[in-house]
Amino acid sequence: MKKPTRNAEPEFVVTMPMGLDGVAASEVAQRAPGASLLSRTSTELRLRGAEVGSLAALRSVNDAWVVVRDYRGIGPRYRDLHALKNLVSRTSLDRALALSQVDGGRRRTTDFALTCSMRGERAYRRLDALKTCEEGLAAQSGGRFRPAATGAALRLWLHLEEDRARLCVALTPKPLHLRDRSVSLPTSLSGPVAYAMAHLTEPRADDVFVDPTCGSGSIALERGENWRHRQLLLGDRSHQAVEAAAANFGPRHKPRSVLWWDAAHLPLGPDSVDALACNPPHGIQMQPEAGLEPLYRGIIGEAARILRAGGRMTFLTPLREMTDRILRDVGGFRIERCFVIDLLGQRPYLYSLRRR
């Protein structure tokens, strides 16, 4: 079995919603220019040479981890769990804890939360792997590390795939995708998806940016928090959404306006906007009385009217056939990308469009 090099440069893993790996790779290149990419899948990047602070500042990812150790030879058989327990019981977390922003290594006893993910057919259950790893951690620490159901600042992740197991420590006490917002609505976008929708509009400091169906303001907040702008304009037909977005913005990110409006009849002039991002109702949690097609036609038609030539638009929807038909009918847009992402178990399409 291959042993890890004691003085090897640490490796990190950042995870993101499926499909946003390109956005995450772009942000890593910007925020952590010294990092080298070791591998990439649709849900994670594996890196070396990154600074912990730069990874903890990422907005496009769900979480960031330091790899404690990769264990080879942990296959699908039940007896492989015994080997896993023995290996974990001989693995020190000290180096990983020193790199993380969690003080778990300096306490007499430390509660930890362990999550487990598995790929492929296995003779044992995920719960079996969790228990085995927890027992190994307790053995190697002499009882200093204790599993806890809730409230643990120290977060560990065990991932099993093919004939290997990977043990990681989270770099931060809470997942990076969680945002501190005053108000959150049931239809609020997750932080990484909202960031991606703003990022794909290719933000510039002189942009007028519009979100015509803002909900609690997630996309516009990501735009305001991560890039400079000339003006942010966001609104919604729901008074509750407008109030939530205004509360979440507070006095920050000016100049900006949070307005009550109809996204199909925007009070904006032709060619007055540089970038637009829209997460319209999908008909799952919210269904307009007149149906989705008239609303989508109105939104896309208004976007074609107010966006300047060359302006960018992102649009998130599970209704690809209908959206493609409306884009053809309205005209004026070029589809630069259209790809599936993971959104709380749903699989909507994220469009990146350019105004001709």
Side-chain angles (χ1 to χ4, degrees):
M1 183 172 295
K2 182 179 179 182
K3 296 183 179 180
T5 304
R6 190 172 294 275
N7 295 319
E9 198 171 19
E11 294 182 4
F12 302 93
V13 174
V14 294
T15 58
M16 70 289 302
M18 182 194 73
L20 297 189
D21 51 300
V23 174
S26 177
E27 189 188 12
V28 167
Q30 177 188 4
R31 294 188 189 265
S36 58
L37 182 63
L38 302 177
S39 64
R40 170 176 164 178
T41 71
S42 65
T43 58
E44 70 174 46
L45 307 178
R46 188 158 178 164
L47 310 163
R48 182 179 287 146
E51 295 183 0
V52 169
S54 63
L55 297 183
L58 295 175
R59 308 285 290 189
S60 59
V61 306
N62 285 333
D63 226 333
W65 310 80
V66 57
V67 178
V68 176
R69 187 171 169 187
D70 266 322
Y71 305 107
R72 305 285 178 157
I74 307 299
R77 300 166 299 181
Y78 204 91
R79 65 185 181 186
D80 288 320
L81 290 180
H82 180 70
L84 176 63
K85 179 180 176 180
N86 287 336
L87 288 168
V88 172
S89 68
R90 299 197 300 269
T91 300
S92 172
L93 301 186
D94 291 348
R95 187 186 187 196
L97 289 172
L99 288 168
S100 75
Q101 298 178 358
V102 180
D103 65 352
R106 294 187 289 275
R107 297 178 181 177
R108 179 173 296 178
T109 59
T110 299
D111 291 344
F112 69 87
L114 175 66
T115 58
C116 177
S117 56
M118 298 194 309
R119 292 180 183 170
E121 296 270 337
R122 295 185 180 266
Y124 48 84
R125 302 171 302 166
R126 185 177 62 87
L127 288 176
D128 297 325
L130 277 171
K131 183 179 178 182
T132 296
C133 191
E134 287 174 350
E135 291 173 351
L137 289 166
Q140 71 90 10
S141 67
R144 180 163 60 98
F145 293 128
R146 303 179 307 187
T150 59
L154 177 59
R155 298 182 296 116
L156 305 174
W157 173 32
L158 175 68
H159 178 67
L160 296 125
E161 184 174 12
E162 297 178 348
D163 65 341
R164 61 193 296 182
R166 181 177 66 200
L167 182 64
C168 301
V169 168
L171 293 181
T172 55
K174 68 176 186 178
L176 296 180
H177 70 89
L178 299 180
R179 306 283 197 259
D180 292 325
R181 302 292 189 227
S182 298
V183 183
S184 181
L185 301 177
T187 55
S188 296
L189 278 179
S190 70
V193 175
Y195 176 92
M197 293 190 68
H199 167 87
L200 290 170
T201 66
E202 299 181 355
R204 300 184 309 178
D206 61 347
D207 276 350
V208 175
F209 177 90
V210 171
D211 182 349
T213 56
C214 69
S216 61
S218 299
I219 301 173
L221 280 162
E222 292 296 329
R223 179 64 178 82
E225 289 170 359
N226 293 285
W227 298 274
R228 296 176 63 186
H229 59 274
R230 178 154 51 108
Q231 190 173 24
L232 297 179
L233 299 171
L234 58 150
D236 204 285
R237 192 171 183 174
S238 162
H239 288 287
Q240 181 188 21
V242 171
E243 291 171 0
N248 286 330
F249 266 92
R252 301 171 299 155
H253 310 311
K254 295 179 179 179
R256 53 107 181 104
S257 298
V258 185
L259 306 170
W260 179 82
W261 63 24
D262 180 352
H265 301 88
L266 295 173
L268 303 172
D271 306 318
S272 61
V273 170
D274 301 288
L276 184 150
C278 183
N279 174 34
H282 298 171
I284 299 171
Q285 293 173 302
M286 183 181 297
Q287 175 74 45
E289 291 183 7
L292 289 176
E293 182 153 354
L295 176 63
Y296 278 35
R297 284 188 178 276
I299 292 173
I300 293 172
E302 281 292 85
R305 181 181 68 84
I306 66 175
L307 275 171
R308 64 169 176 79
R312 301 298 301 269
M313 174 180 176
T314 54
F315 195 80
L316 183 66
T317 177
L319 305 172
R320 182 169 185 179
E321 183 178 345
M322 184 181 80
T323 301
D324 285 348
R325 183 174 68 251
I326 293 172
L327 286 169
R328 287 194 299 269
D329 293 346
V330 170
F333 284 106
R334 180 170 69 250
I335 300 176
E336 298 200 325
R337 291 186 66 193
C338 180
F339 57 98
V340 176
I341 68 168
D342 176 58
L343 183 62
L344 300 176
Q346 300 176 34
R347 297 290 187 268
Y349 294 89
L350 179 52
Y351 285 79
S352 177
L353 307 163
R354 188 180 294 275
R355 184 75 171 90
R356 292 194 180 100

